Amino acid sequence: MPDLPGWRHAYSGKVRDLYVPDAAADLATAARVLVVASDRVSAFDHVLEPGIPGKGELLTTLSLWWFDQLVGFPNHLVPDHTVNGAVTSLLPSAVAGRAMLCKTLDMFPIECVVRGYLTGSGWKEYQSTQTVCGIQLPAGLQNGDRLPEPIFTPAWKAPMGEHDENISFERTVELVGASVADELRRLSLEIFGHASAIAEKAGVILADTKFEFGADRLTGAITLADEVLTSDSSRYWDASLWQSGTTPEQRMASFDKQIVRDWLAANWDLTGTPPALPAEIIGQTAARYLELLARLTHAASEAGAA
């Protein structure tokens, strides 16, 4: 990736690119990091072609909006960094709208997944064992059912090029220690509950999501990081179309990249290079991302006006 004025490229993930100030040696020693969301889209651990135009800006805008709603939960943004805050004027023009200026953290190697509904890989596991990540669930649940209460189902963040691995809470304790594991679970469930209530007011179900946290290098405080509650990191469903036994994805009622996953599953055997995404799939996905942002922010503005 090319460098940016005042910033040097330090790392690229599947979707995001990280930059450190020119004066910093690397990510380990930098006090600030520029997190830039690209238009790349990934599924089944592969980066797909082509990207989705405008996706990086949509995801960044949604993350910043959610950070604004999550008052009381420390996050990695530098002070006063909001959707339209003054900090945005400090960002390089080439990445304006799709970059976040953040504190660097010591990241925990855990994806903090919270599930409020039974679907996806959780549904597959439940069919075999009546558990999800080792958590026993009631008998008789169907695909798309709401769980009795949200569950914390962490995953180990594998190195680039390898598959993330669902793990038990006991394994999480082994990786990060008991006190950190307890706090990651508490924070994840609390944030999920808060966000779910906000989404419900917009007629949207937050079915599941993943959070990432790191330790503040100055205070040690556990801090929310990376993207948060976006269409890439979450499953969002249209509440009006949800019904027990049939997931909204099956009726094209999701506001996330399930459209991409479904098309790939029908047109690729998961070996070799993925096929190029057709224009209609790109267009449908972009439209759903945009609709989610509009629904959430419109509902919130109406509630504020009332």
Side-chain angles (χ1 to χ4, degrees):
M1 299 297 298
D3 292 340
L4 298 167
W7 297 86
R8 187 175 70 258
H9 177 254
Y11 175 80
S12 287
K14 295 186 184 76
V15 173
R16 283 169 178 75
D17 304 305
L18 305 183
Y19 294 80
V20 296
D22 283 339
D26 51 32
L27 277 171
T29 58
R32 296 286 184 267
V33 62
L34 193 66
V35 181
V36 179
S38 73
D39 290 344
R40 299 189 296 270
V41 60
S42 70
F44 302 118
D45 293 312
H46 285 75
V47 176
L48 310 175
E49 296 289 346
I52 297 176
K55 173 176 174 283
E57 186 167 353
L58 284 172
L59 294 187
T60 299
T61 302
L62 188 55
S63 276
L64 290 173
W65 183 83
W66 271 118
F67 282 128
D68 284 352
Q69 314 311 305
L70 300 174
V71 177
F73 299 100
N75 66 63
H76 67 163
L77 298 177
V78 300
D80 300 322
H81 194 347
T82 60
V83 174
N84 298 308
V87 171
T88 58
S89 65
L90 304 177
L91 305 177
S93 59
V95 294
R98 56 189 183 92
M100 297 186 293
L101 184 57
C102 306
K103 299 178 291 184
T104 48
L105 307 172
D106 291 325
M107 298 299 293
F108 299 112
I110 303 295
E111 289 194 338
C112 296
V113 180
V114 180
R115 305 170 190 264
Y117 289 73
L118 185 61
T119 191
S121 63
W123 166 241
K124 291 179 182 178
E125 180 183 337
Y126 175 84
Q127 290 176 286
S128 300
T129 64
Q130 204 177 307
T131 64
V132 176
C133 292
I135 299 174
Q136 191 72 36
L137 295 177
L141 296 178
Q142 300 297 316
N143 189 14
D145 276 357
R146 185 170 186 166
L147 298 174
E149 60 183 10
I151 57 175
F152 178 70
T153 58
W156 174 68
K157 289 166 57 178
M160 188 71 169
E162 299 182 25
H163 295 287
D164 293 340
E165 175 188 347
N166 289 342
I167 59 176
S168 66
F169 184 74
E170 290 72 23
R171 177 58 178 151
T172 304
V173 170
E174 292 176 0
L175 289 169
V176 299
S179 61
V180 170
D182 284 340
E183 186 66 358
L184 291 177
R185 178 170 60 184
R186 183 192 71 79
L187 283 170
S188 297
L189 290 170
E190 191 171 339
I191 295 170
F192 183 86
H194 184 68
S196 294
I198 293 173
E200 286 177 8
K201 293 176 182 177
V204 175
I205 290 171
L206 175 60
D208 57 43
T209 194
K210 72 173 181 69
F211 303 112
E212 296 193 31
F213 295 88
D216 188 295
R217 290 178 176 175
L218 296 178
T219 67
I222 295 178
T223 303
L224 186 60
D226 199 61
E227 64 179 330
V228 63
L229 295 160
T230 70
S231 306
D232 268 16
S233 64
S234 316
R235 279 189 175 89
Y236 284 103
W237 297 338
D238 188 326
S240 66
L241 297 178
W242 175 81
Q243 65 181 31
S244 179
T246 305
T247 61
E249 294 105 311
Q250 294 170 324
R251 295 188 300 278
M252 301 294 282
S254 60
F255 299 100
D256 47 58
K257 61 181 178 182
Q258 192 63 40
I259 296 169
V260 172
R261 295 190 194 100
D262 289 346
W263 185 87
L264 276 179
N267 293 277
W268 183 43
D269 63 2
L270 303 184
T271 63
T273 303
L277 296 175
E280 60 268 25
I281 295 299
I282 293 172
Q284 289 171 8
T285 304
R288 299 303 276 175
Y289 279 35
L290 185 61
E291 183 177 348
L292 174 66
L293 178 63
R295 280 201 186 198
L296 290 172
T297 55
H298 178 70
S301 63
E302 283 195 332

